[in-house]
């Protein structure tokens, strides 16, 4: 049962697997979202996701996701592994894979060509361990923006990339809803970046949520468009759901409730993860996947299929196959999934016959204990140029990279006078944000240190902070005047959107995948070292090809 085979009976584009064909990712029709459905761009046929999560040695929802020391394997950087796995994926009728973390400095042409040659698309998460929006200590800043745009730069050229997830289960508890504002801001800025770089218009940005109590508010929040600003709305919605365990049913699993809820949703919805292992007779590797008949049956009018979690068997007891000595050995649930998918005959819609009617929902309001994120204003646009200009303009700057020492200095400065730190404020519940709140932690500390220094009449002793800071001769580089004027001398102004390429240009060849130091930026997320700051500083904050029809 769990043995490897050459699968000579499958037409899998063997020439592509050997790397002899032209890059078919240039020719494969893009997938585009129209209203509540996905369609092939070439012939208007509806696209239903039949996918698998594909990331080796990586727990997408574990605590290591916020640990910058966690290493990961880029699943799209090794062509030999892709050629090993793709034939087995095609047994499962796979037409999409989800990858959780890639190294944007690596070459992905080989794998992406192989996937495209086999009609397989990709949805990629934008974060990586240590560089993603933290649920309890959220921020949207230059290190995150640099990472997200680098991934977009790396994958935008491939027509078989459907889009990106700006966050995965960032809000997993009721007291974390304030973090949604920072994810929504990242959606706005990454969509804006795709547009500014003139990348393919069908590239979408979405969010994947867990099946949590705040799921309904989250769905409305990310799809709502305050001020009719469509750039703040997600392009698709991923739902990580594990409520159908074993031989459950439509009612007991609450699948029916989810269909009812999303029936008037304005963008495509799909299961970004599914495949419960709890209580399965025979153990985790014996999932029967009886939910497949429903997901690709009466649910297709609302849901666009799903992505099974996951390909590689790991310590969390999820996985369809075991990899040993570079051979693929399927588990029994691989066979179950294959059998269930072989039987489905979904009813499809043609884009020419589909007229979207659903509109954006109202944004949830802040109040009580259920929702703590304003939809407008959101955190300001992240502009690396502004931060660079600001640092050059200071008379007191921070030159130390010892981030472990930043917290005490933040607390001292902001405790001395809150006004020194108004330029870095980021309160999702009140909607108050400083223009420098999107800069790196080091730059934020430099800004408030300079505010303190100036208030002390530029005394030399007021620009030391235990050796972290020192004075410098301020400079105003070309193009900085307008940015600095907009931000204001105390950081209380506005932030113009950045221009030009961001991620790749800022990468400098730094690698973050296995075998290299993890984390594009070495500075930690703001709250990692400054929790006490928000007691004395912002006490009110609630930080909280033609004719392809492969299904």
């Amino acid at each position: 049962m769990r043995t490897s085979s050459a699968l000579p009976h499958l037409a899998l584009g063997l020439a592509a697997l050997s790397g002899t064909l032209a890059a078919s990712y240039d020719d494969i029709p893009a997938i585009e979202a129209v209203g509540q459905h996905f369609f092939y761009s070439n012939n208007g046929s509806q696209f239903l996701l039949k996918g698998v999560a594909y990331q080796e040695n990586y727990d997408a929802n574990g605590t290591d996701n916020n640990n910058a020391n966690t290493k990961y394997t880029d699943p799209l950087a090794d062509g030999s592994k892709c050629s090993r796995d793709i034939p087995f994926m095609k047994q499962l009728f796979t037409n999409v894979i989800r990858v959780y973390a890639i190294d944007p400095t690596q070459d992905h042409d080989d794998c992406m060509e192989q996937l495209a040659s086999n009609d397989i698309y990709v949805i990629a998460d934008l974060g990586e361990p240590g560089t993603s929006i933290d649920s309890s200590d959220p921020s949207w800043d230059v290190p995150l923006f640099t990472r997200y745009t680098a991934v977009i730069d790396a994958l935008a050229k491939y027509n078989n990339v459907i889009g990106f997830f700006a966050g995965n289960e960032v809000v997993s508890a009721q007291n974390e809803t304030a973090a949604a504002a920072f994810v929504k801001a990242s959606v706005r800025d990454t969509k804006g970046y795709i547009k500014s770089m003139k990348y393919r218009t069908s590239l979408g940005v979405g969010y994947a949520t867990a099946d949590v109590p705040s799921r309904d508010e989250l769905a409305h929040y990310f799809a709502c468009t305050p001020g009719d600003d469509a750039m703040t709305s997600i392009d698709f919605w991923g739902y990580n759901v594990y409520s159908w365990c074993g031989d459950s049913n439509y009612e007991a699993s609450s699948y029916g409730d989810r269909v009812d809820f999303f029936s008037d949703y304005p963008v495509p919805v799909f299961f970004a993860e599914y495949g419960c292992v709890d209580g399965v007779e025979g153990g985790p590797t014996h999932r029967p996947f009886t939910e497949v008949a429903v997901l690709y049956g009466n649910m297709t009018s609302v849901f666009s299929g799903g992505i099974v979690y996951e390909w590689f068997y790991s310590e969390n007891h999820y996985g369809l196959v075991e990899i040993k000595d570079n051979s693929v050995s399927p588990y029994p649930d691989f066979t179950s999934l294959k059998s269930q998918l072989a039987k489905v005959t979904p009813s499809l819609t043609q884009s020419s016959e589909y007229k979207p009617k659903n509109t954006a929902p109202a944004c949830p309001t802040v109040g009580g204990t259920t929702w703590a994120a304003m939809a407008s204003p959101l955190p300001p646009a992240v502009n690396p140029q502004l931060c660079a200009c600001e640092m050059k303009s200071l008379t007191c700057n921070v030159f130390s990279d010892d981030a472990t020492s930043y917290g005490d200095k933040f607390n001292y400065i902001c405790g001395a006078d809150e006004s020194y730190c108004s330029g870095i404020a980021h309160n999702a519940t009140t909607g108050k944000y400083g223009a420098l709140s999107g800069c790196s932690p080091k730059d934020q500390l430099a800004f408030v240190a300079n505010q303190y220094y100036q208030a002390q009449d530029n005394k030399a002793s007021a620009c030391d902070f235990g050796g972290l800071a020192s004075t410098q001769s301020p400079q105003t580089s070309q193009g900085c005047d307008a940015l600095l004027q907009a931000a204001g001398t105390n950081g209380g102004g506005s932030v113009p959107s950045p221009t030009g390429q961001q991620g790749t240009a800022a990468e400098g060849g730094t690698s973050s995948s296995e075998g290299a130091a993890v984390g594009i930026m070495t500075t930690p997320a703001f709250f990692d070292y400054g929790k006490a700051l928000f007691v004395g500083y912002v006490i009110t904050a609630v930080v909280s090809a033609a004719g392809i029809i492969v299904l």
Side-chain angles (χ1 to χ4, degrees):
M1 197 85 173
R2 294 171 52 203
T3 57
S4 176
S5 66
L7 304 177
H9 57 287
L10 291 178
L12 295 174
L14 295 180
L17 293 176
S18 65
T20 60
L21 286 186
S24 56
Y25 53 72
D26 288 331
D27 306 315
I28 189 171
I31 303 300
E32 55 189 11
V34 180
Q36 203 169 22
H37 301 304
F38 288 114
F39 296 96
Y40 286 97
S41 59
N42 63 329
N43 60 16
S45 296
Q46 186 179 356
F47 179 85
L48 297 179
L49 284 76
K50 290 184 178 179
V52 62
Y54 188 65
Q55 188 92 33
E56 192 174 4
N57 301 322
Y58 185 76
D59 184 357
N61 307 317
T63 56
D64 283 347
N65 202 35
N66 291 322
N67 184 352
N69 293 317
T70 300
K71 294 184 178 181
Y72 63 90
T73 301
D74 184 336
L76 302 178
D78 189 334
S80 64
K81 291 183 178 179
C82 289
S83 63
R84 177 197 66 199
D85 294 335
I86 288 174
F88 289 88
M89 290 182 184
K90 294 308 293 182
Q91 288 191 65
L92 298 178
F93 309 93
T94 300
N95 64 5
V96 64
I97 61 172
R98 177 183 179 184
V99 296
Y100 293 90
I102 70 146
D103 180 348
T105 68
Q106 297 297 306
D107 186 346
H108 303 104
D109 286 359
D110 193 353
C111 278
M112 294 303 295
E113 177 183 336
Q114 293 182 48
L115 291 166
S117 296
N118 287 281
D119 307 318
I120 297 176
Y121 292 80
V122 174
I123 298 176
D125 287 46
L126 291 172
E128 67 172 349
T131 318
S132 57
I133 297 174
D134 191 331
S135 301
S136 57
D137 295 341
S139 63
W140 174 236
D141 56 22
V142 169
L144 290 165
F145 183 67
T146 301
R147 162 69 193 183
Y148 283 28
T149 54
V151 174
I152 293 171
D153 288 340
L155 297 181
K157 72 175 183 178
Y158 305 114
N159 275 359
N160 55 329
V161 172
I162 295 174
F164 310 96
F165 280 128
N168 180 66
E169 300 189 5
V170 176
V171 177
S172 56
Q174 202 70 44
N175 63 353
E176 296 173 345
T177 58
F182 299 90
V183 184
K184 193 171 177 72
S186 76
V187 170
R188 176 203 62 206
D189 288 358
T190 50
K191 287 178 63 170
Y193 183 69
I194 290 170
K195 183 177 180 180
S196 71
M197 292 300 296
K198 296 181 171 55
Y199 290 143
R200 176 165 42 90
T201 57
S202 59
L203 279 174
V205 180
Y207 176 78
T209 184
D211 196 10
V212 294
S214 58
R215 60 178 180 258
D216 292 353
E217 291 93 341
L218 283 165
H220 284 158
Y221 184 78
F222 280 102
C224 76
T225 55
D228 294 325
D229 185 4
M231 294 299 287
T232 68
S233 170
I234 42 97
D235 298 310
F236 48 78
W237 184 252
Y239 189 27
N240 301 343
V241 57
Y242 295 89
S243 58
W244 187 305
C245 300
D247 294 315
S248 188
N249 58 62
Y250 190 65
E251 290 76 23
S253 64
S254 297
Y255 275 26
D257 294 338
R258 295 295 89 201
V259 169
D260 292 342
F261 177 81
F262 286 107
S263 61
D264 61 352
Y265 207 60
V267 299
V269 182
F270 57 91
F271 287 175
E273 293 175 6
Y274 77 97
C276 174
V277 299
D278 295 337
V280 174
E281 185 177 352
T285 60
H286 289 71
R287 291 177 288 180
F289 286 110
T290 51
E291 66 264 49
V292 165
V294 175
L295 180 58
Y296 298 96
N298 60 303
M299 292 179 65
T300 56
S301 62
V302 175
F303 278 78
S304 294
I307 298 172
V308 171
Y309 190 81
E310 59 180 320
W311 184 252
F312 301 97
Y313 190 82
S314 61
E315 293 178 356
N316 61 13
H317 304 300
Y318 285 88
L320 295 169
V321 303
E322 179 185 48
I323 307 297
K324 188 175 182 179
D325 297 328
N326 205 36
S327 294
V328 181
S329 297
Y331 283 105
D333 55 357
F334 177 101
T335 302
S336 298
L337 180 60
K338 175 182 176 180
S339 175
Q340 294 287 352
L341 286 168
K343 293 184 291 186
V344 300
T345 55
S347 177
L348 301 177
T349 299
Q350 282 293 127
S351 61
S352 60
E353 300 172 358
Y354 173 64
K355 305 300 180 186
K357 297 180 180 180
N358 297 345
T359 57
C363 300
T365 57
V366 173
T369 60
T370 59
W371 193 254
M374 291 187 67
S376 181
L378 290 172
V382 173
N383 191 322
Q385 293 97 324
L386 167 63
C387 299
C389 289
E390 194 72 56
M391 294 309 103
K392 291 180 180 179
S393 73
L394 303 179
T395 52
C396 177
N397 203 347
V398 171
F399 295 97
S400 172
D401 292 321
D402 181 14
T404 60
S405 301
Y406 292 173
D408 290 342
K409 307 307 180 285
F410 273 118
N411 293 336
Y412 175 79
I413 297 169
C414 300
D417 191 328
E418 290 184 9
S419 66
Y420 299 153
C421 296
S422 61
I424 65 168
H426 44 295
N427 189 326
T429 303
T430 64
K432 294 186 181 300
Y433 301 97
L436 282 301
S437 63
C439 295
S440 71
K442 179 181 179 181
D443 290 352
Q444 290 187 39
L445 180 58
F447 178 80
V448 300
N450 189 70
Q451 294 287 305
Y452 177 87
Y453 172 68
Q454 291 181 334
Q456 307 307 312
D457 298 323
N458 296 346
K459 294 179 181 177
S461 60
C463 183
D464 182 69
F465 301 102
L468 292 181
S470 61
T471 58
Q472 67 176 19
S473 297
Q475 301 176 12
T476 303
S477 302
Q478 185 177 5
C480 285
D481 282 336
L483 292 173
L484 296 174
Q485 185 175 357
T489 56
N490 66 347
S494 59
V495 182
S497 295
T499 58
Q501 192 169 41
Q502 301 297 321
T504 301
E507 283 294 281
T510 304
S511 178
S512 55
S513 59
E514 189 170 8
V518 175
I520 293 170
M521 307 295 288
T522 57
T523 51
F526 181 85
F527 290 85
D528 283 352
Y529 51 79
K531 290 185 175 68
L533 164 65
F534 286 84
V535 176
Y537 160 40
V538 188
I539 195 69
T540 58
V542 184
V543 178
S544 18
I548 288 183
I549 311 205
V550 179
L551 297 173

